[in-house]
Amino acid sequence: MKVAIIGGTGRAGTEISAELARRGHRVTAIARHPEKAIEDAQVTAVQGDVNDPAALVEAIRGHDVVVSAVMFSDTDPESLVGVVRDSGVPRYLVVGGAGSLEVAPGVPLITTPDFPEVAKVEAGKGAVFLDYLRGVDDINWTFLSPSAYFFVGDRKGSFRIGKDQLLVDGEGNSSISYADYAIALVDEIETPQHSRGRFTVGY
């Protein structure tokens, strides 16, 4: 498949690019600084910016899938979904956040006392993005939330999948590496299980 990644040089975008390339997919890594993209024969780096939607439409046109791996604070859902819609790309996956995951019925993580103040703006915008997607019925979208601690680490190849509840291990920890997150996202690209919905991944 041909997969375009908006934000292809960030931590998530880089691992997703590597996982896609590892499996033989053709990747277009779109970023403000394309020179930071991984060097791989399967990966083509292209300059692009969410603030230039017309150019972004052309950059992703003709791909089978587009992945959004940009900060929610850097864009808005209406603009980015509009780019995907105008491009004609049939599938859209979003690197989500953990803030909107529930720790109890109706209680999102972002509302808990220990949620970091510094992360609230980005997490709040992520929740708004997800709410917007839930009203979109003309695009095949998927929103993948990582666990609470999203970190640079080893590719273990083992993890759990959930729906809307925060995943925690036996000790109450909630975590996933970018590398294992990328496996779950590329699995979803190859074998869709969560069309027009959100799921989460964690250890």
Side-chain angles (χ1 to χ4, degrees):
M1 281 186 280
K2 289 183 63 179
V3 182
I5 305 175
I6 303 169
T9 61
R11 286 176 292 187
T14 295
E15 291 292 351
I16 295 165
S17 294
E19 186 64 29
L20 284 164
R22 184 180 289 115
R23 302 194 198 186
H25 299 290
R26 294 168 59 192
V27 181
T28 302
I30 302 168
R32 294 172 182 168
H33 300 284
E35 69 277 4
K36 295 181 180 180
I38 63 170
E39 294 186 7
D40 189 288
Q42 295 293 111
V43 178
T44 301
V46 173
Q47 202 282 331
D49 193 317
V50 292
N51 295 312
D52 187 354
L56 203 53
V57 167
E58 294 309 312
I60 68 175
R61 193 187 302 277
H63 289 78
D64 301 300
V65 180
V66 59
V67 176
S68 172
V70 296
M71 297 285 287
F72 294 113
S73 299
D74 289 341
T75 187
D76 70 87
E78 185 174 1
S79 174
L80 208 44
V81 170
V83 164
V84 177
R85 182 179 289 118
D86 291 346
S87 74
V89 177
R91 292 188 63 207
Y92 177 43
L93 286 87
V94 178
V95 175
S100 57
L101 291 169
E102 295 183 346
V103 296
V107 182
L109 178 64
I110 191 175
T111 65
T112 59
D114 293 333
F115 193 86
E117 192 68 32
V118 68
K120 283 187 176 180
V121 171
E122 176 67 11
K125 287 183 178 294
V128 169
F129 203 107
L130 176 58
D131 285 343
Y132 183 87
L133 282 175
R134 284 174 166 156
V136 174
D137 58 10
D138 63 331
I139 292 175
N140 185 358
W141 60 268
T142 300
F143 188 100
L144 175 51
S145 288
S147 289
Y149 179 40
F150 201 12
F151 67 96
V152 176
D154 294 338
R155 182 181 185 272
K156 297 179 180 179
S158 61
F159 46 79
R160 293 179 295 146
I161 295 295
K163 183 63 174 169
D164 291 311
Q165 289 72 43
L166 183 73
L167 294 174
V168 296
D169 63 18
E171 298 179 351
N173 299 313
S174 175
S175 65
I176 190 71
S177 71
Y178 285 97
D180 283 328
Y181 175 96
I183 295 175
L185 187 138
V186 177
D187 285 350
E188 179 68 21
I189 288 175
E190 294 181 337
T191 309
Q193 300 289 323
H194 303 90
S195 295
R196 294 191 177 91
R198 184 259 291 275
F199 73 110
T200 186
V201 58
Y203 295 131

Short mmCIF file of all heavy atoms in Angstrom, two decimals, residues 141-174:
data_model
loop_
_atom_site.label_atom_id
_atom_site.label_comp_id
_atom_site.label_asym_id
_atom_site.label_seq_id
_atom_site.Cartn_x
_atom_site.Cartn_y
_atom_site.Cartn_z
N TRP A 141 -12.52 6.58 9.00
CA TRP A 141 -11.50 7.06 9.92
C TRP A 141 -11.31 6.10 11.09
O TRP A 141 -12.21 5.33 11.44
CB TRP A 141 -11.85 8.46 10.46
CG TRP A 141 -13.15 8.51 11.21
CD1 TRP A 141 -14.40 8.80 10.70
CD2 TRP A 141 -13.34 8.28 12.62
NE1 TRP A 141 -15.34 8.74 11.70
CE2 TRP A 141 -14.73 8.43 12.88
CE3 TRP A 141 -12.50 7.95 13.66
CZ2 TRP A 141 -15.27 8.27 14.15
CZ3 TRP A 141 -13.03 7.77 14.95
CH2 TRP A 141 -14.39 7.95 15.17
N THR A 142 -10.14 6.18 11.72
CA THR A 142 -9.84 5.43 12.95
C THR A 142 -8.94 6.30 13.81
O THR A 142 -8.00 6.92 13.32
CB THR A 142 -9.12 4.10 12.64
OG1 THR A 142 -9.95 3.28 11.82
CG2 THR A 142 -8.81 3.35 13.93
N PHE A 143 -9.23 6.35 15.09
CA PHE A 143 -8.47 7.15 16.06
C PHE A 143 -7.84 6.19 17.05
O PHE A 143 -8.55 5.48 17.77
CB PHE A 143 -9.45 8.11 16.75
CG PHE A 143 -8.86 9.16 17.65
CD1 PHE A 143 -8.70 10.46 17.19
CD2 PHE A 143 -8.52 8.87 18.96
CE1 PHE A 143 -8.21 11.46 18.03
CE2 PHE A 143 -8.03 9.85 19.81
CZ PHE A 143 -7.88 11.15 19.34
N LEU A 144 -6.51 6.13 17.08
CA LEU A 144 -5.81 5.19 17.97
C LEU A 144 -5.16 5.95 19.13
O LEU A 144 -4.21 6.70 18.94
CB LEU A 144 -4.76 4.40 17.20
CG LEU A 144 -3.86 3.46 18.02
CD1 LEU A 144 -4.67 2.54 18.92
CD2 LEU A 144 -2.95 2.65 17.10
N SER A 145 -5.68 5.72 20.34
CA SER A 145 -5.13 6.36 21.53
C SER A 145 -4.02 5.51 22.15
O SER A 145 -4.22 4.31 22.35
CB SER A 145 -6.22 6.57 22.59
OG SER A 145 -7.12 7.59 22.21
N PRO A 146 -2.89 6.11 22.47
CA PRO A 146 -1.86 5.39 23.22
C PRO A 146 -2.26 5.32 24.69
O PRO A 146 -3.26 5.93 25.10
CB PRO A 146 -0.62 6.26 23.04
CG PRO A 146 -1.20 7.65 22.96
CD PRO A 146 -2.50 7.50 22.21
N SER A 147 -1.49 4.60 25.48
CA SER A 147 -1.70 4.60 26.93
C SER A 147 -1.16 5.92 27.51
O SER A 147 -0.62 6.76 26.78
CB SER A 147 -1.00 3.40 27.55
OG SER A 147 -1.69 2.21 27.21
N ALA A 148 -1.31 6.09 28.81
CA ALA A 148 -0.97 7.36 29.45
C ALA A 148 0.50 7.74 29.28
O ALA A 148 0.83 8.89 29.00
CB ALA A 148 -1.34 7.31 30.93
N TYR A 149 1.39 6.75 29.44
CA TYR A 149 2.83 7.01 29.30
C TYR A 149 3.25 6.51 27.92
O TYR A 149 3.35 5.31 27.69
CB TYR A 149 3.59 6.32 30.41
CG TYR A 149 5.09 6.49 30.35
CD1 TYR A 149 5.67 7.72 30.00
CD2 TYR A 149 5.94 5.43 30.64
CE1 TYR A 149 7.04 7.87 29.94
CE2 TYR A 149 7.33 5.57 30.59
CZ TYR A 149 7.87 6.80 30.24
OH TYR A 149 9.22 6.95 30.17
N PHE A 150 3.48 7.45 27.02
CA PHE A 150 3.82 7.17 25.62
C PHE A 150 5.31 7.49 25.49
O PHE A 150 5.72 8.64 25.57
CB PHE A 150 2.99 8.10 24.74
CG PHE A 150 2.81 7.66 23.32
CD1 PHE A 150 3.15 6.39 22.88
CD2 PHE A 150 2.28 8.55 22.39
CE1 PHE A 150 2.96 6.01 21.56
CE2 PHE A 150 2.08 8.19 21.08
CZ PHE A 150 2.43 6.92 20.67
N PHE A 151 6.14 6.46 25.31
CA PHE A 151 7.57 6.69 25.46
C PHE A 151 8.40 6.07 24.33
O PHE A 151 7.96 5.18 23.62
CB PHE A 151 8.04 6.11 26.80
CG PHE A 151 7.95 4.60 26.89
CD1 PHE A 151 9.05 3.80 26.64
CD2 PHE A 151 6.76 3.99 27.24
CE1 PHE A 151 8.97 2.42 26.72
CE2 PHE A 151 6.67 2.60 27.32
CZ PHE A 151 7.78 1.82 27.06
N VAL A 152 9.62 6.58 24.18
CA VAL A 152 10.58 6.02 23.25
C VAL A 152 11.20 4.79 23.90
O VAL A 152 11.80 4.89 24.98
CB VAL A 152 11.69 7.04 22.90
CG1 VAL A 152 12.74 6.40 22.00
CG2 VAL A 152 11.08 8.27 22.23
N GLY A 153 11.02 3.64 23.27
CA GLY A 153 11.51 2.40 23.88
C GLY A 153 11.56 1.27 22.89
O GLY A 153 11.35 1.46 21.69
N ASP A 154 11.82 0.09 23.39
CA ASP A 154 12.01 -1.08 22.55
C ASP A 154 10.72 -1.51 21.85
O ASP A 154 9.61 -1.25 22.32
CB ASP A 154 12.53 -2.25 23.38
CG ASP A 154 13.93 -1.99 23.92
OD1 ASP A 154 14.65 -1.15 23.33
OD2 ASP A 154 14.29 -2.63 24.92
N ARG A 155 10.92 -2.21 20.75
CA ARG A 155 9.83 -2.82 20.00
C ARG A 155 9.67 -4.24 20.53
O ARG A 155 10.36 -5.16 20.12
CB ARG A 155 10.17 -2.82 18.50
CG ARG A 155 9.12 -3.40 17.58
CD ARG A 155 9.62 -3.34 16.14
NE ARG A 155 8.62 -3.76 15.18
CZ ARG A 155 8.43 -5.02 14.79
NH1 ARG A 155 9.20 -5.99 15.29
NH2 ARG A 155 7.50 -5.31 13.89
N LYS A 156 8.73 -4.43 21.46
CA LYS A 156 8.52 -5.74 22.08
C LYS A 156 7.67 -6.65 21.19
O LYS A 156 7.86 -7.86 21.17
CB LYS A 156 7.84 -5.59 23.44
CG LYS A 156 8.65 -4.82 24.48
CD LYS A 156 7.86 -4.73 25.77
CE LYS A 156 8.62 -3.97 26.85
NZ LYS A 156 7.83 -3.86 28.10
N GLY A 157 6.70 -6.07 20.53
CA GLY A 157 5.82 -6.86 19.68
C GLY A 157 4.65 -7.48 20.42
O GLY A 157 3.89 -8.25 19.85
N SER A 158 4.49 -7.15 21.69
CA SER A 158 3.36 -7.67 22.47
C SER A 158 2.69 -6.52 23.21
O SER A 158 3.36 -5.67 23.80
CB SER A 158 3.83 -8.74 23.46
OG SER A 158 4.77 -8.21 24.38
N PHE A 159 1.37 -6.51 23.18
CA PHE A 159 0.60 -5.44 23.81
C PHE A 159 -0.86 -5.87 23.86
O PHE A 159 -1.23 -6.93 23.33
CB PHE A 159 0.73 -4.13 23.02
CG PHE A 159 0.58 -4.30 21.53
CD1 PHE A 159 -0.67 -4.42 20.93
CD2 PHE A 159 1.70 -4.36 20.70
CE1 PHE A 159 -0.81 -4.59 19.57
CE2 PHE A 159 1.58 -4.55 19.33
CZ PHE A 159 0.32 -4.66 18.77
N ARG A 160 -1.69 -5.06 24.50
CA ARG A 160 -3.12 -5.33 24.55
C ARG A 160 -3.88 -4.23 23.81
O ARG A 160 -3.40 -3.11 23.69
CB ARG A 160 -3.60 -5.38 26.01
CG ARG A 160 -3.06 -6.55 26.81
CD ARG A 160 -3.57 -6.51 28.23
NE ARG A 160 -3.07 -5.34 28.95
CZ ARG A 160 -3.76 -4.67 29.88
NH1 ARG A 160 -4.99 -5.02 30.17
NH2 ARG A 160 -3.20 -3.65 30.51
N ILE A 161 -5.05 -4.60 23.32
CA ILE A 161 -5.91 -3.66 22.62
C ILE A 161 -7.18 -3.46 23.44
O ILE A 161 -7.74 -4.40 23.99
CB ILE A 161 -6.28 -4.21 21.22
CG1 ILE A 161 -5.03 -4.31 20.33
CG2 ILE A 161 -7.35 -3.35 20.55
CD1 ILE A 161 -4.40 -2.98 20.00
N GLY A 162 -7.63 -2.20 23.52
CA GLY A 162 -8.86 -1.90 24.22
C GLY A 162 -9.72 -0.95 23.39
O GLY A 162 -9.40 -0.65 22.23
N LYS A 163 -10.77 -0.46 23.99
CA LYS A 163 -11.71 0.40 23.27
C LYS A 163 -11.63 1.84 23.78
O LYS A 163 -10.81 2.62 23.30
CB LYS A 163 -13.12 -0.18 23.41
CG LYS A 163 -14.19 0.58 22.65
CD LYS A 163 -14.00 0.55 21.15
CE LYS A 163 -15.18 1.22 20.45
NZ LYS A 163 -14.91 1.45 19.01
N ASP A 164 -12.42 2.17 24.75
CA ASP A 164 -12.48 3.56 25.25
C ASP A 164 -11.96 3.70 26.68
O ASP A 164 -11.93 4.81 27.21
CB ASP A 164 -13.91 4.09 25.19
CG ASP A 164 -14.38 4.29 23.76
OD1 ASP A 164 -13.65 4.90 22.97
OD2 ASP A 164 -15.50 3.83 23.44
N GLN A 165 -11.55 2.58 27.30
CA GLN A 165 -11.08 2.63 28.68
C GLN A 165 -9.55 2.60 28.71
O GLN A 165 -8.91 1.89 27.92
CB GLN A 165 -11.63 1.44 29.48
CG GLN A 165 -13.13 1.55 29.76
CD GLN A 165 -13.98 1.33 28.52
OE1 GLN A 165 -13.71 0.42 27.74
NE2 GLN A 165 -15.00 2.15 28.36
N LEU A 166 -8.95 3.35 29.62
CA LEU A 166 -7.50 3.37 29.79
C LEU A 166 -7.02 1.98 30.20
O LEU A 166 -7.55 1.37 31.13
CB LEU A 166 -7.13 4.38 30.87
CG LEU A 166 -5.62 4.57 31.12
CD1 LEU A 166 -4.98 5.32 29.97
CD2 LEU A 166 -5.40 5.31 32.44
N LEU A 167 -6.03 1.46 29.49
CA LEU A 167 -5.46 0.16 29.81
C LEU A 167 -4.39 0.32 30.88
O LEU A 167 -3.51 1.18 30.77
CB LEU A 167 -4.85 -0.48 28.57
CG LEU A 167 -5.82 -0.87 27.45
CD1 LEU A 167 -5.04 -1.34 26.23
CD2 LEU A 167 -6.78 -1.96 27.92
N VAL A 168 -4.44 -0.50 31.93
CA VAL A 168 -3.44 -0.48 32.98
C VAL A 168 -2.98 -1.92 33.24
O VAL A 168 -3.74 -2.87 33.05
CB VAL A 168 -3.95 0.16 34.29
CG1 VAL A 168 -4.30 1.62 34.08
CG2 VAL A 168 -5.17 -0.60 34.81
N ASP A 169 -1.74 -2.06 33.67
CA ASP A 169 -1.23 -3.40 33.97
C ASP A 169 -1.57 -3.77 35.42
O ASP A 169 -2.28 -3.04 36.13
CB ASP A 169 0.27 -3.50 33.70
CG ASP A 169 1.11 -2.56 34.57
OD1 ASP A 169 0.61 -2.10 35.62
OD2 ASP A 169 2.28 -2.31 34.21
N GLY A 170 -1.04 -4.90 35.88
CA GLY A 170 -1.35 -5.38 37.22
C GLY A 170 -0.88 -4.47 38.33
O GLY A 170 -1.36 -4.58 39.47
N GLU A 171 0.06 -3.59 38.02
CA GLU A 171 0.57 -2.66 39.03
C GLU A 171 -0.04 -1.27 38.90
O GLU A 171 0.39 -0.33 39.56
CB GLU A 171 2.09 -2.58 38.92
CG GLU A 171 2.79 -3.91 39.20
CD GLU A 171 4.30 -3.81 39.05
OE1 GLU A 171 4.79 -2.76 38.57
OE2 GLU A 171 4.97 -4.78 39.42
N GLY A 172 -1.02 -1.15 38.01
CA GLY A 172 -1.69 0.13 37.84
C GLY A 172 -1.02 1.07 36.88
O GLY A 172 -1.41 2.25 36.77
N ASN A 173 0.01 0.61 36.16
CA ASN A 173 0.72 1.46 35.20
C ASN A 173 0.05 1.39 33.83
O ASN A 173 -0.49 0.36 33.44
CB ASN A 173 2.17 1.02 35.08
CG ASN A 173 2.92 1.13 36.39
OD1 ASN A 173 2.83 2.14 37.08
ND2 ASN A 173 3.64 0.08 36.76
N SER A 174 0.11 2.49 33.11
CA SER A 174 -0.47 2.57 31.77
C SER A 174 0.60 3.11 30.82
O SER A 174 1.00 4.27 30.92
CB SER A 174 -1.68 3.51 31.77
OG SER A 174 -2.19 3.69 30.47
#
